[in-house]
Structures are given as C-alpha cells and as structure tokens.
Amino acid sequence: MTTATPALSPRRYFGWSTDHKVIGVQYLVTSFFFFLVGGAMAGMIRTQLLAPDSTLVSAEAFNRLSTNHGSVMLFLWILPVLAGLGNYLVPLQIGARDMAFPRLNALSFWLLVPAGLLMLASFFVGAAEAGWTAYVPLSISGPDGQTLWALSVILLGTSSMMGSINFVTTIFTMRAEGLTFWRLPLFSWSMLATSILVLTATPVLTAGLALIAMDRLVGTLFFSVPAGGDPILWQNLFWFYSHPAVYIMVLPAMGAISEIFPVFARKPVFGYRMIAVSSLAISLLGLTVWAHHMFTSGMDPRLRVPYMISTMIIAVPTGVKIFSWLATIWGGKIRLDTPMLFALGFISMFLIGGITGVFLAAIPVDLHVHDTYFVVAHLHFVLFGGSVSGAYAALYYWYPKITGRRFDERLGKVHFAANFIGTNLAYLPMFLAGLLGMPRRVVNYDPRFTELNQLASLGAFLLAVSVLPLLYNMIVSWVNGPKAGDNPWRARTLEWQGSSPPPVHNFDQPPVVTEGPYDYGEAEARSMMPSPAAAGD
Amino acid sequence: MKERTLLVVVLVTALLVVAGIWVAQNVNLMPAEASTRAALVDQLFRAMLGLAAVIFLLVEGLLLFSVLRFRQPRGDDGDALPVHGNRALEIVWTLIPALIVIVIGFYSFRVLAASEIREENPLVVNVRSRQFAWTFEYPGTSVISSDLHLPVGRQVRFLITSDDVIHSFWVPEFRVKRDATPGQMAELLVTPTREGTYPVRCAELCGVGHAAMGLSSRVIVESDEAFQAWLTQAAALPADPIEAGRTLFKRYGCPACHALADAGAAGVVGPALDSLADPNGPHAHAHGGMDIRALVEQSVLDPSAAIAPGFADGLMPKDFGTRIPANELAILVDYLVAQK
C-alpha cells in the first residue's frame, strides 16, 4: 500500500526515531529477542530437571538461570512487548498524530536496550542468583551481577514510568473529536488502567532497588539484620510493585483480546462499559493485595485476613471480563483465524491461572502451597497462558496493520496448536508437584516427582519448538506475504480505517468519531471514518 | 422456547453441581494427612476444588459450545445480531462470583482460626536454620538434632529463626510452612496425628544449597514412648568414639553440605570428607605439611583459612567454634580423621 512512500523504508527501524509506530516495532522486535533469551534459559532449566539428581547444571548456575529467566521474561519480554503494542496502537486508536511526548517515548525505548544488555552482561561477572524476587538478605551478599541486575531493573522501571506518563497524557489529551471515554477502544482503556497502575506502583520498587544497590555499593545498612535492618521491609516494597505488575502484564493482553472477539464474532462487545470499568477496578484493587505474597513471612498475623479478602475480590471483575467475552462470542458468527484462536486460548488458560489464584489467596491453602511448584504453575498460566497468549493474539491481529502483509494462516494455526498443548503439558503437572511437596527454585528434587517433571519438560520443549513457525511466519510474510489490504479483518476501530501500514502522519485530517468502536451488525454506513488520507494510496 | 431455555439452564446447572460434588469427594491431590491442620486444610481445599471444577467446566463448556455452535457459514460476510449487553445477566455474573468468594473467604478464616488454636502443654521445639541445614533443639534437654522427632497427638510449638538468610520450614504432610527470618522468632503450631517419616523442605530460596537443604532432614512422628526413648538416647553420646563422632556429625547438620560414606551423607555444597587422612587421597593437596588433625580442626573453626579447590569461600558458617563444645569438637575431629 505504501511502498512508494520513501519515509517508510525499513532502515528507519534501526535508529533513533520519534515516530510511535517505529518505536512500537522497535519495542516488539527487541522484546522478542529477549523472549528467545529467556526461553533458552527456561530450556536449560527444564533439561536439568529431567532427572531428580541431574548434574548437568550446577546449583549456582541453576540459581542464576532461574533468577534471570524470571527477570528477563517479565521485565524484558512481557512488559516491553505490551508497551510496544500500546505505542503502536494507542495513537492510531484514538486518532492522534503521535504520542503526546514523542522524544520521551523514544527515550523510554532506548533505556530498555542498555538495561537489557546490562542484565545479560551480568553473567560475565556472576549473575544475580537470589531469585527475581531478590529477597534480602540473600540479595545483599552474592556476586557483582546482583548489583547490575538491580541497576538494570531500575532503568527498566524508569523506562516504564516514562512510557506510562506518555500513555496517560496521550489518552487524556489527544483523543479525536467525538471520541469520548465511552467510545474509547478497550485496548486503549486497558493501557490507561495499566499506566495508572505503573505510575503508582513502579516508583516503590525502583526506590527499594536503590536501597539494595546502596547497601551493596556504598555500604548503607538498610537491609542488614545485625544493624537492625528488616528483611520484611523489602518484601513489602517489592510486592507493592510486583503484584500489581501481574495486572500490568495481563490488562493490556485482556484489552487486546477484547478487540479481537467482536471482530471475529461479528458482534458488538457484550458489556463494553463493564469491561472498561473492570480494568480500572482491577488496577485499583490490585494496589491493595500485595501482602498475600507474605502470608508465611513475619507479617502481622492480624493483617492476613484483609489481604485475603481484597485478593479474592479481584476474582469478581476478572469474572466479569470472562463472562462478557463469552457473551460476546455467544450467538456470533465466529471465524477461527489465528488471532481468534489465541484469544480463545487466552480465556481457557487464563481461567486456570485465575481460579488457582483464589486457592493461593485462601490463607490456609497458601500456607501449604506458597513457594512451591503450585505457584510456578499458577503464575505461568496467568503470564504465559494469559499474557503471552494475548500478546501472540495481538501480534497476529495487528500484523497486517503493521506490515501491510498477510501472514501464513496455516503456520499460525500450527503455532497455536503447539503453544496450547505445550502450555498445558508444561504447567498442569506442576500444580500436582507443588501440592505433593516440591518447592520451587530447586536444582535437584525428590525422585517421587520425576514423572511430573519429565512431563513438564516435554511441554517446555514443545513450547520451544512452537516459536519456530511464529518466527518464520513473521519474517517471511513481511518480505513475501500477500498484500493484506487496509482492513483485512473488517474491523471497526479507528486504527483500521486508514491505510495499512499507516502513513507517517497517521491521519492527514483529524478524524471525527460519531459512534462506538464495536457496532457490528448496526447500520452499515460507517460514521467513524477518518478523513481520507492524502499520502499513500 | 423460553421454557425450553429454562429447562436447559436448570439441567446444566444440576449436572455441574453433581460434577462439582463428585470432584470434591473423589479427587485427592494432596500427600498424606499427618496433622490436625492438614485435615482442616484438606476439607477447605476439596470444597474449593469442587467449586473450581464447576466454574472451570462452565466456562470451558460455554467456550467450546460457542465455538462449535456459532460459526460463520461459508460465504456469509454479514454481521451477527447486535447485542450490547443485558443488565440482569451482568448483575448475576457479578453477584454470584462475589458470593462465592465471600463464602470461601469466610470458610478460610474459620479454618485459619481453628488451625491456630493453642492447646495446653505444647512441646516446644526450636527450629534453627542456616545455609544449608536445619537443626532442631529441644529446650530443657541437651538434644540438638538434624532430624525432627515428634510425639504423635501432642501440639508442637515451633519457634523458628535463621542464622543467616531467609529459609522456610515446610512439612508438606503437615500442610504448613513458616519462613525462618534472621532477627525474628516465628511461631508455628502443629499437632501431628499420624505416625510416619516425612520430608522437611526448605521452601525459600536460600542460596546454592537450597535444594539440598530441602532433601536432607526428615520429621519422624512416633508414639510418645518411642519419642521419649529417642530423646533420652539422643541426649547422651554413644560410648564408642566412632559412633559418638557420627552422631555429632549429624547433630550439627554437616551432612547437608558434605558427603561422608560412613555417615550416609551425600551433601554436595562442600567437599566430600572421605579419606581425609590419606596422604595420597583427594585431600593430599591440602595437607601442605600441616598436621591433618590441626587442619580439620582449623577448617571447622575457621572455614576460610583453607579452601578446597573447586569450592567457594563463604559457604560454610563460621560460628561452629561457639556452637560446638571443646570436648565434642575433639570427638568430631577424631572421627573425621579416622575415615579411610
């Protein structure tokens, strides 16, 4: 569509650019690289765990791998891949020319690169080995890589806060004429809810990491037990961010699949306002639950019950979303294209993560399963079955928007099948292992858990292989794929109303919005068209 | 039509309830139930599992049914009937989950309260943790053990702490864990109900020996007579010096990190201690002209003085000098250098 536009040469992706679309793609590609790195670490972990007394990986190397697997996957894959989608899509969805602060936007991306390299480079000086949770006092001793790890996460937190300031400002001030909040697409709603959460929670983690870094570098004693430091303080600072971080990592994925269901069921979103409001509810409630990670720690026992209640209540807005999605596809005209398959996969797997979250909130059950493989299974169903499925769904759904090309649908379906089977195979056995007594983060384990671990490893290897059709499809289709047309899915949100890929200025005339984003089955005449683009074709 | 819909809803609900009850009664995913708390937790867990099964089957069922039933026919490019919402339905699926979590929350609170009731005359056991071993002390006796012996049917009051980093004391068969935090004393109440031998795990990442720490200690729940007999026997050191040395080796938690065939120890965090005195053995390098007995004693008291090749400094606690009385240290060192 836009081959004639010189400004859209592929070279622009390799340098400083303030175009939100370029930055979005830079985020997506960079985070995908780190996804492969984190996945390689997971592969080594699961190979080690094929046998209970395997010595393939030393205990020290294992702790470094598991610590950095978690950190890379969360901070360098899921967070930035969602930030990339937000960058690319929010201005297009709200009819803006770019983000509110384009240079700040570029800076947030360019902080991600050195932060990621810093984390990987820490392997040369002895990588962090205290878990991604970096509990003190273990994280105060330990190799130099622990300091690099802390600095890297501080940079990533800063990048994330800058990005969020940008999203909030952009969504509040740059919506097109007629685009009221009740006409805002649900993905943009979710980015708004997420950004508010980032701005509230991330400074706390960043400050806590600064304390750790100072303890390690300049000899302060914030967390030194002999000097009167309190190890529980770190847990409060850490989880005040890191529990909301789960919602930061899952809300945009929920937003993405909320876009996909109406398009592939040809029906309006059921309960649009409830879905939008439930995102906000989840982010506000999400700030009140952090200490449920500390039921077994030295927290005041009287405080446990309020945290249990607030945690369980989050199941309510989450349930509202799931039932609204089901009602959206109920009675629809469903097409099972790859984005839809991944969105459906999101529901079916995230559901397991959500339900087991209530088990973990129930204090007496948590006192048994906390810090076991039950938690490992739960968090992977939420973050891999949920967030990553959502990210995959979004990548396939907006691929024609970003590239102007169609991907190979058969390869997409192969990827979906391998991913779906692999996820369940890898993580379902872990629930049982945890319940039966297997702690997390162990390099060796009781031989009674051998079969469960071998199943999990098999699933993990399938997941590793499942990335190949995705990679091949994304690269080859960008070069060779058939032209997609501007709106191949016949979607009604604003980002699909212009050309694909979009021209540099997004919209040549500011679009005017006169109806909701999901009015499928309503009057055929589109009143939400932007003024025709002059550039491009 | 409306009556038919109602009938289907009632029928599906009934089926789901039956499935939930079946799951709650028949699916057991837990290890042996070895404490009063375990029985309570398992009741709660099974009830939640039943509810979870209902919700899981309902959602996955609706999902599968929709995908199979509501497909776009070939050649049909049109949209489906626009339905934007249904207030009554939305209220129902907000209220019912809210009700469910309130019930679960209330039930959980009851179980929590019931499992933390104090009984009279509990047995107090001090749980001390360090990188990378558990030691259990029985106040009022001189007994220090790396295995936890408990009498069945009497409440135990664990007082848990750590000498270095955070560990977590977990007995899966008791269904409970408690973090051992340096600088704090945590309390945990457990009443064992079933005789047997169960693992003691470490559930909090504590360093390179974390996995080993969760595989090295056991809890032995036994009759009160057997427990008292063990306590008496454990308080005394055997007369035979080799047996006494073996006892001390285990009592001070050495097997968690060191391998020693005579003591059945297989720790991998520190060097293996077989054939220490053999001048041509694996430890020949360390002798360096030093008397082997002096070297072993020095390595216990000041582990950093000589580091075996392939092992890092700082892994071994440096306070054994204050914890092991001089007479016991002599027995332990004699025992170690006697290993062929």
Side-chain angles (χ1 to χ4, degrees), chain A residues 125-198:
Chain A
V125 292
E129 54 189 32
W132 86 281
T133 49
Y135 270 19
V136 299
L138 185 62
S139 59
I140 298 300
S141 55
D144 291 344
Q146 190 76 48
T147 309
L148 296 188
W149 178 90
L151 296 177
S152 165
V153 180
I154 288 175
L155 279 181
L156 292 165
T158 311
S159 151
S160 181
M161 287 184 269
M162 287 176 176
S164 297
I165 289 170
N166 227 337
F167 283 125
V168 171
T169 315
T170 307
I171 293 171
F172 267 97
T173 62
M174 297 180 66
R175 279 170 290 124
E177 189 186 337
L179 186 53
T180 60
F181 271 104
W182 290 132
R183 285 176 182 164
L184 191 63
L186 287 167
F187 178 74
S188 290
W189 258 113
S190 72
M191 286 309 296
L192 180 63
T194 303
S195 301
I196 293 171
L197 205 48
V198 168

Side-chain angles (χ1 to χ4, degrees), chain A residues 177-313:
Chain A
E177 189 186 337
L179 186 53
T180 60
F181 271 104
W182 290 132
R183 285 176 182 164
L184 191 63
L186 287 167
F187 178 74
S188 290
W189 258 113
S190 72
M191 286 309 296
L192 180 63
T194 303
S195 301
I196 293 171
L197 205 48
V198 168
L199 289 176
T200 320
T202 312
V204 177
L205 174 75
T206 311
L209 286 164
L211 299 184
I212 283 191
M214 286 201 282
D215 269 15
R216 294 181 56 91
L217 287 172
V218 297
T220 53
L221 299 166
F222 293 109
F223 299 120
S224 161
V225 175
D230 183 359
I232 309 299
L233 169 64
W234 165 253
Q235 297 178 20
N236 278 304
L237 297 175
F238 178 80
W239 288 116
F240 185 79
Y241 166 77
S242 295
H243 193 80
V246 178
Y247 306 114
I248 293 170
M249 289 182 275
V250 88
L251 281 172
M254 289 174 159
I257 66 167
S258 300
E259 300 285 345
I260 289 169
F261 287 126
V263 176
F264 291 86
R266 311 309 304 167
K267 258 188 78 198
V269 168
F270 190 100
Y272 161 86
R273 289 190 182 203
M274 287 291 271
I275 293 186
V277 168
S278 64
S279 290
L280 283 180
I282 289 174
S283 35
L284 295 180
L285 282 169
L287 287 167
T288 67
V289 304
W290 77 91
H292 68 214
H293 292 271
M294 296 159 57
F295 288 153
T296 69
S297 82
M299 71 185 279
D300 188 323
R302 289 164 300 182
L303 285 176
R304 292 177 300 179
V305 173
Y307 281 107
M308 168 173 77
I309 305 291
S310 58
T311 305
M312 285 183 175
I313 289 175

Side-chain angles (χ1 to χ4, degrees), chain A residues 355-366:
Chain A
I355 289 176
T356 50
V358 180
F359 283 82
L360 285 161
I363 303 165
V365 178
D366 181 70

